[in-house]
C-alpha cells in the first residue's frame, strides 16, 4: 500500500462504539466541524468499514480523531488493531484528537496516547473528550471546543 506523504487538510473520525453513544458523539463532532467550515469530514466505524480502507483514509487526511470505548480497562479490539496498523505503516505528521467513553473508569485516551507515543511529528489537540456512557451538555460544549481547535 502506497501512502500519501501530503495529506489533504481535512478530518477523519475513526471510532469504535459498542452501544452507539460513542458513535453519536462522533456524529456531533462531524456536525460541529461542518458548522466551523470544515467541508471534508469522513466518519468511519471501525466495526463496519474494512480496516484497509480506514487506514488509507487516515493517511490522506491531515487531522485524525480516534474515538473508542474503554473495554475491559483497555481499548475496544477494533481500535487497538487500527492503531497498531497506523504504527506499522509509520503514521507521522498528523494532528490527533482523542475521545473516550467509559461508564466508571474510562482509560481509552491514556491507552491510545501510549500506543502512539513512538510515532513522529504528531500534534495532539488539547481538548480530549471523556464521555461517561451517554453525552451530556458538558460533552457537547467540549465537542464544540474540539471542533474549533480542529478547524484552525
Amino acid at each position: 500500500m502506497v501512502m500519501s506523504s501530503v495529506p489533504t487538510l481535512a478530518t477523519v473520525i475513526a471510532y469504535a462504539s459498542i452501544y452507539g453513544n460513542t458513535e453519536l458523539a462522533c456524529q456531533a463532532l462531524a456536525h460541529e466541524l461542518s458548522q466551523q467550515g470544515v467541508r471534508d469530514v469522513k466518519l468511519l466505524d471501525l466495526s463496519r468499514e474494512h480496516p484497509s480502507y480506514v487506514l488509507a483514509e487516515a493517511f490522506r487526511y491531515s487531522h485524525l480523531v480516534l474515538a473508542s470505548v474503554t473495554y475491559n480497562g483497555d481499548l475496544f479490539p477494533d481500535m487497538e488493531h487500527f492503531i497498531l496498523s497506523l504504527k506499522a505503516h509509520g503514521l507521522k505528521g498528523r494532528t490527533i484528537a482523542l475521545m473516550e467513553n467509559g461508564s466508571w473508569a474510562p482509560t481509552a485516551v491514556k491507552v491510545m496516547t501510549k500506543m502512539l507515543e513512538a510515532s513522529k511529528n504528531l500534534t495532539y489537540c488539547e481538548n480530549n473528550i471523556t464521555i461517561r456512557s451517554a453525552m451530556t451538555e458538558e460533552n457537547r460544549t467540549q465537542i464544540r471546543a474540539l471542533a474549533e481547535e480542529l478547524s484552525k
Side-chain angles (χ1 to χ4, degrees):
M1 177 185 301
V2 176
M3 300 295 173
S4 171
S5 61
V6 180
T8 304
L9 184 59
T11 302
V12 167
I13 303 171
Y15 66 91
S17 185
I18 296 175
Y19 300 112
N21 291 311
T22 304
E23 179 179 19
L24 289 174
C26 290
Q27 290 171 350
L29 177 59
H31 174 75
E32 288 297 329
L33 284 166
S34 72
Q35 296 296 305
Q36 295 290 327
V38 178
R39 295 290 168 233
D40 198 357
V41 177
K42 291 262 181 162
L43 190 60
L44 301 171
D45 182 346
L46 296 172
S47 297
R48 288 185 169 76
E49 298 287 347
H50 193 277
S52 65
Y53 173 73
V54 183
L55 183 66
E57 291 301 293
F59 278 88
R60 286 189 189 103
Y61 287 69
S62 60
H63 295 65
L64 176 60
V65 178
L66 301 173
S68 182
V69 295
T70 296
Y71 185 75
N72 291 333
D74 211 332
L75 291 180
F76 193 65
D78 293 331
M79 179 60 75
E80 182 178 24
H81 179 261
F82 180 59
I83 292 175
L84 289 172
S85 295
L86 290 171
K87 287 174 51 177
H89 286 86
L91 180 73
K92 63 182 178 182
R94 299 295 187 280
T95 298
I96 305 290
L98 302 172
M99 296 173 68
E100 65 186 352
N101 192 343
S103 296
W104 52 271
T107 61
V109 165
K110 182 173 123 183
V111 174
M112 290 186 286
T113 301
K114 183 156 182 56
M115 287 182 75
L116 291 168
E117 70 186 4
S119 299
K120 299 187 186 305
N121 268 351
L122 297 182
T123 302
Y124 290 92
C125 291
E126 291 180 22
N127 294 298
N128 292 329
I129 296 172
T130 297
I131 298 163
R132 294 200 178 261
S133 293
M135 271 193 306
T136 63
E137 209 42 54
E138 179 184 354
N139 291 137
R140 291 184 187 285
T141 300
Q142 293 168 336
I143 288 169
R144 280 190 288 279
L146 179 56
E148 279 183 35
E149 187 176 359
L150 287 167
S151 67
K152 294 181 184 188

